[in-house]
Amino acid sequence: MSTEPKLSKVEHAKRDSRGLRGGLAEAVAGGATRFVGEDPTLLKFHGIYEQYDRDAREKVENRTYNYMVRLAIPGGVLTADQYLAIDRLAEEHGGGTLRLTTRQGIQFHGLLLGELKPTLQALHRSLLTTLAACGDVRRNVMACPAPLTDPAHRTVQRVAAEIARELEPKSRAYAEIWLDGERLELSAEPEEPFYGTTYLPRKYKVGVALAGDNCIDLHAYDAGLVGLLGADGDVAEWNILSGGGLGITHGKSDTFARLASPIGSVPVAWGVAAIRAVAALYRDHGNREDRKHARLKYIVESWGVERFRQALAAELGHPVAPPRPVPPSNQEDHLGVHDQGDGRVFLGVFIENGRVIGPLRSGLAEVVRRFQPGVRLTAMQSLLLTDLDRSDLPAIQALLADHGIATVERLSTTRRWSMACPALPTCSLALTDAERALPAAISDLEAEFARLAIDDVPLTVRMTGCPNGCARPYNADLAFVGKKPGAYHVYVGGGLSGDRLADLFAVEVPADSFVDTLRPLLERYRDERHPGEALGDFWQRLAGHAPRTLLTGKEEALGERVLGLQLVEVAP
């Protein structure tokens, strides 16, 4: 009897794809209107998702398919010319809109199949790519976007770029299909010497940060490096984190969100190799039978930290010491004006839910054209204009104001740290709205927080249209996770530090009942909070249990039990 594991459908598609080629080239050259068979699966490795307008409620046979294109931008770093090229493509092929992601990338939605090739070629001419922005490979490598000129911040950005290059897929399929065989660097090495024919079991999210700085939400990813400073102010050593990931399945207790564990520490020179070694362990030991259990977090949880550290050292060929202690982290959103340390300043601009459209889009493009700043994307879906002369700030701020772009001083603490995923109508996994629903929910919460005079402390509020966690809801102070059309599970108890997960507070709450459901908690927060205490911190003190680092898809709702009363009844 065969002892070979039963591979999932996606594993077969990867293995049989001829290095991610499949029938993509034939569909592009033949003028098809959509991809068929397993080609939509392979598209993801090229940074493309097949979608359709779910608001249209069309029968399958009548659907018009379109495509989302995602850029991989390590550390979120763009030049002015690159940003303007992206802006032009948004007008030409993206329906006049672009979207900043929660992982320092940019997405276009609504492209037709015939628009894909010219779009990817235009991006290539601007030294940009969509390769590996999706798929079972390392995703966009994140890093603190602040353009600070101290050695440590420069090291973080440099290492993020090195990791991105080290783990970039080597298949020539992308160049052959989309770029007519062009490559920036021609290589004679075999295709995929690291990934092999089946790549990784699932996505591999990586970030690089400094101790005490959680501006990229590092604990939420598969792997990460935390820089510890030496006497010279530069990174001397890395703590390695592994095993994070926030996707769950509603009602399934064997699926879970998990924060990354501190695995060990290595000298600074071994950082990139350590992230590659973690990827190798994942490649060789990940679950390729069941994609719901294929993420790296399931290996780390099953093995435990000590076994994983030993396996990492063996794969790395270098000792891995226990992790070093680090100070508590906080999450800086980098909004407003900040000194860079080189005589110039940068300006952080709030982008609600990352959607750049209308006057916001035209205002940003005008600023970039006139003043030629660098552009950096944050993990909070906002944008930094960098390398500015302080003398230009009044003109820049006036131009932004003329386009209705809010300054940080005008933002409530509730709206400032809010995030949502795109969800409906584009995402095939969405159970309900997120990006379209969160602004109104924030307005309701703003009014209630102002009424109770509790709007003086930063508050992370996040919403997703399904439980997969793309907007990182489970480590927020307050989160709404889509359960079914118009209804959400409500979570409370995370926070800016990102180092604990929230508790399920209430289930299947309609969007117009958020405030009514939360009011008993908010009133107690008003009456019993400590000075400066955040809502998530207050909940943790009220709940009285150890902060959780793992949250399953089937949890007890704790709101009524912790508050000692029955929450408002909501209509089914």
Side-chain angles (χ1 to χ4, degrees):
M1 181 175 290
S2 173
T3 59
E4 290 187 9
K6 181 181 178 182
L7 299 178
S8 70
K9 183 179 179 180
V10 173
E11 291 299 312
H12 284 286
K14 290 185 288 185
R15 184 192 62 190
D16 300 337
S17 70
R18 297 180 297 112
L20 305 179
R21 290 170 176 83
L24 299 180
E26 291 75 13
V28 172
T33 58
R34 68 163 300 194
F35 296 93
V36 298
E38 300 304 323
D39 287 350
T41 296
L42 304 181
L43 271 180
K44 297 175 185 179
F45 291 81
H46 299 257
I48 304 166
Y49 274 84
E50 185 175 81
Q51 300 180 330
Y52 61 94
D53 182 359
R54 294 182 60 190
D55 282 348
R57 300 183 182 278
E58 297 169 318
K59 294 182 179 179
V60 174
E61 60 269 21
N62 297 327
R63 284 178 188 163
T64 299
Y65 288 87
N66 57 65
Y67 297 89
M68 181 270 280
V69 171
R70 180 185 296 156
L71 281 76
I73 307 170
V77 179
L78 295 167
T79 67
D81 287 344
Q82 287 174 326
Y83 181 83
L84 293 173
I86 292 168
D87 182 77
R88 287 192 296 272
L89 288 170
E91 182 65 31
E92 295 169 4
H93 301 302
T97 177
L98 54 89
R99 196 175 194 283
L100 313 186
T101 76
T102 60
R103 303 202 71 255
Q104 297 181 294
I106 290 179
Q107 296 178 177
F108 301 108
H109 291 264
L111 280 75
L112 299 179
L113 191 153
E115 296 177 298
L116 292 175
K117 187 169 182 176
T119 298
L120 269 60
Q121 289 186 338
L123 292 170
H124 176 69
R125 289 193 292 272
S126 296
L127 305 185
L128 294 165
T129 185
T130 66
L131 177 64
C134 324
D136 298 347
V137 289
R138 71 102 182 98
R139 296 293 185 89
N140 195 41
V141 182
M142 299 182 66
C144 175
L148 302 176
T149 55
D150 60 277
H153 279 87
R154 291 188 174 188
T155 294
V156 162
Q157 279 284 344
R158 173 181 57 79
V159 169
E162 290 175 359
I163 292 170
R165 286 193 297 271
E166 179 70 19
L167 292 176
E168 181 181 78
K170 298 298 191 293
S171 169
R172 291 183 281 276
Y174 185 89
E176 293 170 6
I177 297 165
W178 310 110
L179 309 178
D180 295 326
E182 295 181 27
R183 281 191 69 85
L184 290 177
E185 295 180 10
L186 296 176
S187 174
E189 71 178 33
E191 289 193 330
E192 308 304 8
F194 176 78
Y195 286 118
T197 59
T198 52
Y199 296 84
L200 299 177
R202 284 201 71 179
K203 67 187 77 171
Y204 183 56
K205 295 182 177 180
V206 177
V208 186
L210 293 174
D213 177 11
N214 186 46
C215 75
I216 62 168
D217 239 347
L218 187 63
H219 299 88
Y221 308 135
D222 296 271
L225 298 175
V226 179
L228 293 89
L229 302 188
D232 61 355
D234 202 350
V235 177
E237 199 170 11
W238 298 109
N239 265 4
I240 304 163
L241 302 183
S242 193
L246 299 188
I248 62 176
T249 300
H250 284 316
K252 299 291 186 181
S253 59
D254 61 344
T255 67
F256 52 76
R258 187 184 190 279
L259 295 181
S261 299
I263 300 298
S265 60
V266 294
V268 66
W270 286 88
V272 175
I275 293 297
R276 178 187 170 99
V278 172
L281 292 176
Y282 181 32
R283 176 196 63 201
D284 297 342
H285 299 282
N287 187 330
R288 294 182 182 269
E289 300 180 40
D290 181 358
R291 287 182 68 81
K292 289 187 181 298
H293 297 98
R295 290 291 296 275
L296 179 60
K297 61 187 176 183
Y298 293 101
I299 299 176
V300 178
E301 181 66 19
S302 173
W303 287 8
V305 166
E306 186 58 37
R307 178 182 171 186
F308 196 87
R309 182 190 304 128
Q310 293 173 2
L312 177 59
E315 180 68 39
L316 183 60
H318 186 277
V320 177
R324 309 299 188 200
V326 296
S329 294
N330 202 359
Q331 188 173 75
E332 171 59 61
D333 61 11
H334 305 297
L335 297 185
V337 178
H338 302 267
D339 289 312
Q340 294 183 178
D342 59 358
R344 293 174 292 181
V345 298
F346 71 91
L347 173 64
V349 181
F350 175 74
I351 312 292
E352 187 162 35
N353 298 327
R355 182 65 68 182
V356 183
I357 190 171
L360 170 61
R361 197 189 121 224
S362 60
L364 288 173
E366 180 63 22
V367 167
V368 176
R369 272 192 295 270
R370 283 180 54 182
F371 297 95
Q372 291 293 298
V375 176
R376 299 198 180 188
L377 312 177
T378 79
M380 295 288 288
Q381 301 175 304
S382 290
L383 175 150
L384 312 182
L385 302 170
T386 73
D387 306 307
L388 301 171
D389 291 330
R390 187 174 287 275
S391 60
D392 288 332
L393 277 176
I396 292 170
Q397 291 170 321
L399 198 159
L400 294 175
D402 287 345
H403 287 79
I405 301 172
T407 61
V408 65
E409 293 80 12
R410 291 170 52 196
L411 298 171
S412 70
T413 55
T414 310
R415 196 172 299 270
R416 176 172 176 171
W417 279 277
S418 64
M419 289 200 303
C421 69
L424 295 176
T426 55
C427 179
S428 62
L429 299 177
L431 303 173
T432 189
D433 276 305
E435 180 185 323
R436 299 190 299 193
L438 186 58
I442 292 293
S443 295
D444 292 343
L445 289 168
E446 283 176 329
E448 184 69 3
F449 273 66
R451 185 185 73 82
L452 296 173
I454 55 173
D455 54 354
D456 56 330
V457 178
L459 175 74
T460 49
V461 182
R462 298 173 184 170
M463 178 181 282
T464 59
C466 81
N468 285 300
C470 292
R472 303 192 295 276
Y474 304 116
N475 61 350
D477 285 274
L478 179 59
F480 309 101
V481 175
K483 178 59 169 61
K484 63 183 183 181
Y488 303 78
H489 284 356
V490 179
Y491 293 82
V492 179
L496 285 170
S497 62
D499 58 358
R500 66 176 181 238
L501 295 176
D503 289 327
L504 179 60
F505 180 81
V507 300
E508 297 189 11
V509 179
D512 59 4
S513 298
F514 289 162
V515 169
D516 289 340
T517 300
L518 288 164
R519 184 170 288 121
L521 171 63
L522 299 181
E523 289 177 344
R524 288 196 62 175
Y525 177 56
R526 174 197 59 193
D527 297 338
E528 302 174 30
R529 65 178 178 153
H530 294 160
E533 188 174 34
L535 179 64
D537 296 333
F538 175 74
W539 170 263
Q540 293 289 329
R541 184 162 59 85
L542 205 62
H545 59 67
R548 65 165 76 224
T549 58
L550 189 146
L551 176 75
T552 76
K554 190 174 183 179
E555 297 282 344
E556 174 194 2
L558 300 180
E560 293 184 356
R561 179 165 67 80
V562 171
L563 296 178
L565 51 80
Q566 184 172 350
L567 299 179
V568 62
E569 292 285 346
V570 295

